Amino acid sequence: MRLDKFLSHSGFGSRKEVKLLLKKKQVQVNSQVQTKGDFKISTKEDEVTVVGEKVLYQKYVYLLLNKPQGVLSATEDSKQKTVIDLIDETYSHYDLFPVGRLDKDTEGLLLLTNDGELTHFLLSPKRHVKKTYFAHIDGIMTEDDQEYFKKGITLEDGSKCLPGHLEVLKKDEANNSSDVLITIKEGKFHQVKRMVLACGKEVTFLKRVTMGSLRLDETLQPGEYRELTEKERTELQQFLPEE
Ligand code: URA
């Protein structure tokens, strides 16, 4: 890889900024000052330092975002704000994309990465990766609804869902509403909202709280994000069952 690209991908700014660093003789490769951006290095074998500090190369980035309502789960849109617009410019050269989609009015856990292989694993319909949602429902979810979830709900278009899990957290008879946790293993369009509609009720608030081994970090306010910890990354890679 070119030295300037390597430095830029490792957080040392644009090519122009990197050029300046090189010109100032602040970069060394294997203890030799290098001033040429097109100098070729091996990201595995060569040791690069900037002002004496070793540079760690990061090929992939994994961001855990608490998606706020009102933004699209897309990389770009000519009119509306997307989840990528929420991310700081320091990550712009990573070409991040969201792993799957949440509706515009849904909030909660959304993984952003540039790791295509992991994304493929997590979204593959064959892998049945579990996702759990907290939902506020207009109406009272019943034991019959729980049974229906367990059996596999048939949506309004006739398509059948895999068995899911419905846990009722709170029933508010006075306001005719309930709070529930819904776990599903697929990702059909508007799936949770349509499953609840099939029970004759309506989702009025939806938030994803888990995806596979990942859990929403409740210290993140909607719109905030952080990189996955090493532990979270390892668990995510390890938990993936065979395809
Ligand atoms: N199910 C939905 O209905 N909406 C989402 O955003 C995610 C799952």
Side-chain angles (χ1 to χ4, degrees):
M1 178 185 273
R2 286 174 61 118
L3 182 57
D4 52 5
K5 189 172 173 190
F6 170 85
L7 288 167
S8 186
H9 278 200
S10 304
F12 287 92
S14 63
R15 288 258 175 119
K16 211 169 146 198
E17 288 163 314
V18 163
K19 206 170 170 186
L20 201 65
L21 272 183
L22 291 163
K23 204 172 152 203
K24 286 194 199 152
K25 298 190 168 36
Q26 291 180 330
V27 181
Q28 295 192 346
V29 179
N30 303 325
S31 308
Q32 299 287 313
V33 170
Q34 266 307 332
T35 54
K36 292 201 168 24
D38 61 0
F39 183 79
K40 289 283 190 325
I41 58 143
S42 154
T43 55
K44 288 204 182 93
E45 283 157 28
D46 292 325
E47 182 177 275
V48 180
T49 59
V50 175
V51 224
E53 290 281 329
K54 190 169 176 216
V55 180
L56 294 173
Y57 181 62
Q58 201 180 350
K59 185 170 179 198
Y60 296 123
V61 165
Y62 306 87
L63 298 181
L64 178 73
L65 168 71
N66 184 358
K67 178 191 171 296
Q69 293 184 8
V71 296
L72 297 182
S73 299
T75 48
E76 53 184 31
D77 190 89
S78 57
K79 294 191 186 80
Q80 301 188 63
K81 196 167 175 175
T82 75
V83 286
I84 299 299
D85 296 328
L86 300 170
I87 308 303
D88 193 87
E89 230 180 83
T90 47
Y91 290 103
S92 60
H93 57 273
Y94 282 109
D95 297 326
L96 295 172
F97 45 82
V99 178
R101 280 170 190 273
L102 290 177
D103 296 338
K104 189 175 168 188
D105 61 357
T106 301
E107 48 180 81
L109 190 160
L110 188 64
L111 179 65
L112 305 179
T113 185
N114 55 347
D115 182 343
E117 199 179 351
L118 180 73
T119 302
H120 170 76
F121 285 146
L122 288 170
L123 297 182
S124 165
K126 294 182 203 147
R127 290 197 179 244
H128 300 157
V129 172
K130 281 190 189 167
K131 282 142 298 210
T132 301
Y133 296 84
F134 168 85
H136 186 70
I137 313 273
D138 192 7
I140 304 282
M141 295 303 271
T142 63
E143 280 179 19
D144 281 352
D145 295 331
Q146 285 178 303
E147 279 307 308
Y148 195 13
F149 266 76
K150 211 194 249 179
K151 214 174 82 197
I153 287 178
T154 303
L155 300 176
E156 79 297 339
D157 63 356
S159 61
K160 186 146 191 246
C161 300
L162 289 172
H165 185 74
L166 168 67
E167 183 186 341
V168 180
L169 300 173
K170 192 170 129 198
K171 291 183 191 183
D172 184 346
E173 305 281 350
N175 288 309
N176 189 37
S177 68
S178 29
D179 288 344
V180 299
L181 284 177
I182 290 173
T183 303
I184 57 173
K185 294 185 268 184
E186 315 154 270
K188 295 186 198 297
F189 186 59
H190 297 326
Q191 184 163 345
V192 172
K193 291 174 186 163
R194 290 161 75 204
M195 287 169 103
V196 171
L197 270 182
C199 298
K201 287 124 210 169
E202 202 181 334
V203 171
T204 53
F205 173 81
L206 192 60
K207 170 171 153 181
R208 181 154 67 188
V209 286
T210 75
M211 180 177 188
S213 57
L214 277 184
R215 170 159 278 284
L216 180 64
D217 179 339
E218 296 288 348
T219 67
L220 294 175
Q221 296 305 308
E224 290 184 344
Y225 59 92
R226 64 159 170 80
E227 290 199 23
L228 292 193
T229 62
E230 181 110 31
K231 184 162 175 272
E232 284 170 327
R233 264 202 333 262
T234 316
E235 280 172 357
L236 200 54
Q237 305 274 4
Q238 283 174 352
F239 116 104
L240 293 168
E242 290 300 308
E243 193 163 16

